[in-house]
Short mmCIF file of all heavy atoms in Angstrom, two decimals:
data_model
loop_
_atom_site.label_atom_id
_atom_site.label_comp_id
_atom_site.label_asym_id
_atom_site.label_seq_id
_atom_site.Cartn_x
_atom_site.Cartn_y
_atom_site.Cartn_z
N VAL A 1 3.31 32.39 -32.85
CA VAL A 1 2.51 31.65 -33.82
C VAL A 1 1.28 31.01 -33.15
O VAL A 1 1.37 30.45 -32.05
CB VAL A 1 3.33 30.52 -34.48
CG1 VAL A 1 2.50 29.68 -35.36
CG2 VAL A 1 4.51 31.05 -35.22
N CYS A 2 0.14 31.20 -33.75
CA CYS A 2 -1.10 30.60 -33.21
C CYS A 2 -1.05 29.08 -33.37
O CYS A 2 -0.81 28.53 -34.44
CB CYS A 2 -2.34 31.16 -33.97
SG CYS A 2 -3.88 30.41 -33.48
N ALA A 3 -1.34 28.37 -32.27
CA ALA A 3 -1.35 26.91 -32.30
C ALA A 3 -2.53 26.38 -33.11
O ALA A 3 -2.49 25.22 -33.56
CB ALA A 3 -1.40 26.37 -30.88
N ASN A 4 -3.58 27.14 -33.32
CA ASN A 4 -4.72 26.71 -34.04
C ASN A 4 -4.59 26.87 -35.57
O ASN A 4 -4.78 25.91 -36.29
CB ASN A 4 -5.99 27.40 -33.53
CG ASN A 4 -7.25 26.95 -34.28
OD1 ASN A 4 -7.55 25.79 -34.08
ND2 ASN A 4 -7.95 27.85 -34.94
N CYS A 5 -4.21 28.07 -36.01
CA CYS A 5 -4.23 28.35 -37.47
C CYS A 5 -2.80 28.47 -38.03
O CYS A 5 -2.65 28.60 -39.23
CB CYS A 5 -5.03 29.54 -37.80
SG CYS A 5 -4.29 31.13 -37.24
N GLN A 6 -1.83 28.43 -37.09
CA GLN A 6 -0.46 28.55 -37.46
C GLN A 6 -0.07 29.96 -38.04
O GLN A 6 1.03 30.15 -38.60
CB GLN A 6 -0.02 27.49 -38.48
CG GLN A 6 -0.35 26.04 -38.06
CD GLN A 6 0.27 25.72 -36.73
OE1 GLN A 6 1.47 25.95 -36.49
NE2 GLN A 6 -0.53 25.11 -35.80
N GLY A 7 -0.98 30.88 -37.83
CA GLY A 7 -0.68 32.26 -38.32
C GLY A 7 0.27 32.98 -37.38
O GLY A 7 0.31 32.70 -36.20
N LYS A 8 1.08 33.82 -37.96
CA LYS A 8 2.07 34.56 -37.13
C LYS A 8 1.70 36.08 -37.09
O LYS A 8 1.19 36.59 -38.09
CB LYS A 8 3.48 34.41 -37.77
CG LYS A 8 4.59 35.03 -36.96
CD LYS A 8 5.92 34.66 -37.43
CE LYS A 8 6.28 35.33 -38.76
NZ LYS A 8 7.71 35.07 -39.16
N GLY A 9 1.94 36.63 -35.96
CA GLY A 9 1.76 38.11 -35.83
C GLY A 9 0.36 38.52 -35.47
O GLY A 9 0.07 39.71 -35.36
N GLY A 10 -0.51 37.55 -35.19
CA GLY A 10 -1.93 37.90 -34.83
C GLY A 10 -2.32 37.62 -33.41
O GLY A 10 -3.46 37.92 -33.02
N LEU A 11 -1.41 37.12 -32.63
CA LEU A 11 -1.70 36.89 -31.22
C LEU A 11 -1.69 38.09 -30.40
O LEU A 11 -0.73 38.92 -30.47
CB LEU A 11 -0.77 35.82 -30.64
CG LEU A 11 -0.96 34.38 -31.20
CD1 LEU A 11 0.05 33.46 -30.55
CD2 LEU A 11 -2.33 33.84 -31.02
N ARG A 12 -2.71 38.28 -29.61
CA ARG A 12 -2.82 39.54 -28.76
C ARG A 12 -3.39 39.08 -27.38
O ARG A 12 -4.01 38.04 -27.27
CB ARG A 12 -3.68 40.53 -29.42
CG ARG A 12 -5.07 40.03 -29.75
CD ARG A 12 -5.99 41.08 -30.23
NE ARG A 12 -6.58 41.85 -29.07
CZ ARG A 12 -7.51 42.78 -29.21
NH1 ARG A 12 -7.93 43.10 -30.42
NH2 ARG A 12 -7.96 43.47 -28.13
N PRO A 13 -3.20 39.90 -26.36
CA PRO A 13 -3.86 39.56 -25.12
C PRO A 13 -5.34 39.59 -25.31
O PRO A 13 -5.88 40.34 -26.12
CB PRO A 13 -3.38 40.69 -24.17
CG PRO A 13 -2.98 41.82 -25.07
CD PRO A 13 -2.43 41.13 -26.31
N HIS A 14 -6.10 38.80 -24.53
CA HIS A 14 -7.57 38.72 -24.64
C HIS A 14 -8.13 39.87 -23.73
O HIS A 14 -8.70 39.68 -22.67
CB HIS A 14 -8.06 37.38 -24.15
CG HIS A 14 -9.57 37.22 -24.29
ND1 HIS A 14 -10.29 37.58 -25.41
CD2 HIS A 14 -10.48 36.80 -23.35
CE1 HIS A 14 -11.58 37.35 -25.24
NE2 HIS A 14 -11.73 36.85 -23.98
N VAL A 15 -7.92 41.10 -24.19
CA VAL A 15 -8.40 42.26 -23.53
C VAL A 15 -9.17 43.16 -24.54
O VAL A 15 -8.92 43.03 -25.75
CB VAL A 15 -7.25 43.09 -22.88
CG1 VAL A 15 -6.55 42.29 -21.80
CG2 VAL A 15 -6.26 43.60 -23.93
N VAL A 16 -10.02 44.02 -24.02
CA VAL A 16 -10.73 44.92 -24.87
C VAL A 16 -9.99 46.26 -24.88
O VAL A 16 -9.75 46.91 -23.85
CB VAL A 16 -12.15 45.12 -24.33
CG1 VAL A 16 -12.90 46.26 -25.18
CG2 VAL A 16 -12.95 43.85 -24.43
N TRP A 17 -9.55 46.72 -26.07
CA TRP A 17 -8.87 47.94 -26.21
C TRP A 17 -9.86 49.06 -26.41
O TRP A 17 -10.99 48.85 -26.76
CB TRP A 17 -7.84 47.90 -27.35
CG TRP A 17 -6.66 47.06 -27.07
CD1 TRP A 17 -5.99 46.88 -25.89
CD2 TRP A 17 -5.90 46.29 -28.04
NE1 TRP A 17 -4.95 46.03 -26.02
CE2 TRP A 17 -4.84 45.67 -27.31
CE3 TRP A 17 -6.04 45.98 -29.40
CZ2 TRP A 17 -3.92 44.85 -27.92
CZ3 TRP A 17 -5.12 45.17 -29.97
CH2 TRP A 17 -4.04 44.56 -29.25
N PHE A 18 -9.43 50.28 -26.20
CA PHE A 18 -10.27 51.45 -26.43
C PHE A 18 -10.75 51.48 -27.87
O PHE A 18 -9.96 51.25 -28.77
CB PHE A 18 -9.49 52.72 -26.06
CG PHE A 18 -9.31 52.96 -24.61
CD1 PHE A 18 -8.24 52.47 -23.92
CD2 PHE A 18 -10.30 53.65 -23.87
CE1 PHE A 18 -8.12 52.61 -22.58
CE2 PHE A 18 -10.17 53.81 -22.53
CZ PHE A 18 -9.05 53.34 -21.85
N GLY A 19 -12.04 51.67 -28.04
CA GLY A 19 -12.64 51.69 -29.31
C GLY A 19 -13.25 50.37 -29.71
O GLY A 19 -13.96 50.26 -30.72
N GLU A 20 -12.99 49.28 -28.90
CA GLU A 20 -13.61 48.01 -29.15
C GLU A 20 -14.81 47.79 -28.27
O GLU A 20 -14.97 48.39 -27.21
CB GLU A 20 -12.55 46.89 -28.91
CG GLU A 20 -11.36 47.01 -29.86
CD GLU A 20 -10.32 45.89 -29.60
OE1 GLU A 20 -10.15 45.50 -28.42
OE2 GLU A 20 -9.70 45.49 -30.59
N ILE A 21 -15.68 46.88 -28.69
CA ILE A 21 -16.94 46.63 -27.98
C ILE A 21 -16.65 45.66 -26.81
O ILE A 21 -16.03 44.61 -26.97
CB ILE A 21 -17.96 46.00 -28.86
CG1 ILE A 21 -18.31 46.97 -30.03
CG2 ILE A 21 -19.26 45.65 -28.07
CD1 ILE A 21 -19.23 46.42 -31.06
N PRO A 22 -17.00 46.06 -25.52
CA PRO A 22 -16.91 45.14 -24.44
C PRO A 22 -17.60 43.80 -24.67
O PRO A 22 -18.46 43.72 -25.50
CB PRO A 22 -17.48 45.92 -23.25
CG PRO A 22 -17.41 47.39 -23.68
CD PRO A 22 -17.62 47.35 -25.16
N LEU A 23 -17.08 42.81 -23.90
CA LEU A 23 -17.62 41.47 -24.00
C LEU A 23 -18.87 41.26 -23.08
O LEU A 23 -19.10 41.98 -22.15
CB LEU A 23 -16.51 40.46 -23.58
CG LEU A 23 -15.18 40.63 -24.19
CD1 LEU A 23 -14.17 39.65 -23.62
CD2 LEU A 23 -15.25 40.44 -25.72
N HIS A 24 -19.65 40.29 -23.51
CA HIS A 24 -20.80 39.80 -22.69
C HIS A 24 -21.91 40.82 -22.56
O HIS A 24 -22.70 40.77 -21.60
CB HIS A 24 -20.37 39.37 -21.30
CG HIS A 24 -19.20 38.39 -21.26
ND1 HIS A 24 -19.30 37.11 -21.76
CD2 HIS A 24 -17.94 38.55 -20.82
CE1 HIS A 24 -18.20 36.50 -21.60
NE2 HIS A 24 -17.32 37.33 -21.09
N MET A 25 -22.01 41.78 -23.47
CA MET A 25 -22.96 42.90 -23.30
C MET A 25 -24.43 42.40 -23.25
O MET A 25 -25.23 42.92 -22.53
CB MET A 25 -22.77 43.95 -24.35
CG MET A 25 -21.45 44.73 -24.18
SD MET A 25 -21.29 45.45 -22.53
CE MET A 25 -22.66 46.56 -22.46
N ASP A 26 -24.80 41.42 -24.09
CA ASP A 26 -26.15 40.96 -24.09
C ASP A 26 -26.49 40.29 -22.73
O ASP A 26 -27.62 40.55 -22.21
CB ASP A 26 -26.40 39.95 -25.24
CG ASP A 26 -26.44 40.61 -26.60
OD1 ASP A 26 -26.55 41.86 -26.64
OD2 ASP A 26 -26.30 39.93 -27.60
N GLU A 27 -25.61 39.44 -22.24
CA GLU A 27 -25.83 38.81 -21.02
C GLU A 27 -25.91 39.79 -19.79
O GLU A 27 -26.78 39.60 -18.91
CB GLU A 27 -24.71 37.77 -20.74
CG GLU A 27 -24.92 36.80 -19.60
CD GLU A 27 -23.91 35.75 -19.50
OE1 GLU A 27 -23.01 35.65 -20.46
OE2 GLU A 27 -23.92 34.92 -18.55
N ILE A 28 -25.01 40.80 -19.89
CA ILE A 28 -25.08 41.85 -18.84
C ILE A 28 -26.38 42.57 -18.84
O ILE A 28 -26.98 42.82 -17.83
CB ILE A 28 -23.90 42.79 -19.00
CG1 ILE A 28 -22.53 42.05 -18.78
CG2 ILE A 28 -24.00 43.98 -18.10
CD1 ILE A 28 -21.33 42.82 -19.18
N GLY A 29 -26.79 42.96 -20.06
CA GLY A 29 -28.04 43.71 -20.17
C GLY A 29 -29.24 42.94 -19.63
O GLY A 29 -30.06 43.57 -18.97
N GLU A 30 -29.30 41.66 -19.95
CA GLU A 30 -30.41 40.89 -19.44
C GLU A 30 -30.37 40.80 -17.90
O GLU A 30 -31.42 40.86 -17.24
CB GLU A 30 -30.34 39.45 -20.04
CG GLU A 30 -30.61 39.42 -21.51
CD GLU A 30 -30.37 38.07 -22.17
OE1 GLU A 30 -29.94 37.20 -21.39
OE2 GLU A 30 -30.50 37.94 -23.36
N ALA A 31 -29.15 40.67 -17.33
CA ALA A 31 -29.05 40.60 -15.87
C ALA A 31 -29.46 41.89 -15.24
O ALA A 31 -30.15 41.93 -14.17
CB ALA A 31 -27.59 40.26 -15.52
N LEU A 32 -29.08 43.01 -15.79
CA LEU A 32 -29.46 44.36 -15.27
C LEU A 32 -30.95 44.53 -15.27
O LEU A 32 -31.50 45.10 -14.34
CB LEU A 32 -28.79 45.44 -16.04
CG LEU A 32 -27.20 45.54 -15.87
CD1 LEU A 32 -26.65 46.55 -16.91
CD2 LEU A 32 -26.80 45.91 -14.45
N ASP A 33 -31.60 44.09 -16.31
CA ASP A 33 -33.06 44.20 -16.47
C ASP A 33 -33.84 43.47 -15.43
O ASP A 33 -34.99 43.83 -15.10
CB ASP A 33 -33.51 43.82 -17.86
CG ASP A 33 -33.11 44.83 -18.93
OD1 ASP A 33 -32.82 45.99 -18.58
OD2 ASP A 33 -33.13 44.45 -20.16
N ARG A 34 -33.23 42.42 -14.86
CA ARG A 34 -34.01 41.57 -13.94
C ARG A 34 -33.49 41.65 -12.50
O ARG A 34 -34.04 41.03 -11.58
CB ARG A 34 -34.02 40.15 -14.41
CG ARG A 34 -32.63 39.40 -14.22
CD ARG A 34 -32.79 37.97 -14.60
NE ARG A 34 -31.60 37.21 -14.39
CZ ARG A 34 -30.62 36.99 -15.24
NH1 ARG A 34 -30.70 37.55 -16.47
NH2 ARG A 34 -29.53 36.25 -14.93
N CYS A 35 -32.40 42.47 -12.29
CA CYS A 35 -31.83 42.42 -10.93
C CYS A 35 -32.65 43.23 -9.93
O CYS A 35 -33.32 44.17 -10.22
CB CYS A 35 -30.36 42.96 -10.96
SG CYS A 35 -30.17 44.73 -11.09
N GLY A 36 -32.60 42.72 -8.67
CA GLY A 36 -33.20 43.37 -7.57
C GLY A 36 -32.26 44.35 -6.84
O GLY A 36 -32.67 45.28 -6.20
N LEU A 37 -31.00 44.09 -6.96
CA LEU A 37 -29.97 44.92 -6.38
C LEU A 37 -28.81 45.07 -7.33
O LEU A 37 -28.28 44.06 -7.86
CB LEU A 37 -29.46 44.29 -5.09
CG LEU A 37 -28.27 45.01 -4.36
CD1 LEU A 37 -28.69 46.40 -3.96
CD2 LEU A 37 -27.77 44.16 -3.19
N PHE A 38 -28.38 46.28 -7.55
CA PHE A 38 -27.19 46.62 -8.35
C PHE A 38 -26.15 47.31 -7.50
O PHE A 38 -26.44 48.36 -6.87
CB PHE A 38 -27.55 47.49 -9.55
CG PHE A 38 -26.37 47.97 -10.34
CD1 PHE A 38 -25.61 47.08 -11.08
CD2 PHE A 38 -25.97 49.32 -10.30
CE1 PHE A 38 -24.51 47.51 -11.80
CE2 PHE A 38 -24.90 49.76 -11.04
CZ PHE A 38 -24.15 48.85 -11.74
N MET A 39 -25.02 46.70 -7.38
CA MET A 39 -23.95 47.27 -6.56
C MET A 39 -22.78 47.68 -7.51
O MET A 39 -22.40 46.91 -8.35
CB MET A 39 -23.44 46.24 -5.51
CG MET A 39 -24.50 45.79 -4.57
SD MET A 39 -23.96 44.26 -3.73
CE MET A 39 -22.44 44.76 -2.88
N SER A 40 -22.28 48.85 -7.29
CA SER A 40 -21.07 49.36 -8.07
C SER A 40 -19.95 49.53 -7.08
O SER A 40 -20.05 50.37 -6.12
CB SER A 40 -21.43 50.66 -8.80
OG SER A 40 -20.31 51.10 -9.48
#
């Protein structure tokens, strides 16, 4: 049960599943546009 809304059956791990949009994409894009070094 969710402690915030008291709903049942909707709690899931805070992970991105296949087919979902990754998190922080706007912030990542801005950082890539201004970076001097990109390491993978």
Side-chain angles (χ1 to χ4, degrees):
V1 176
C2 174
N4 182 61
C5 71
Q6 307 305 310
K8 185 169 72 172
L11 290 181
R12 55 172 281 183
H14 183 50
V15 299
V16 174
W17 287 327
F18 285 90
E20 297 180 326
I21 299 173
L23 309 175
H24 308 294
M25 290 306 299
D26 288 345
E27 191 173 355
I28 293 168
E30 291 171 1
L32 292 172
D33 286 341
R34 70 174 188 271
C35 75
L37 174 65
F38 173 69
M39 300 164 60
S40 178

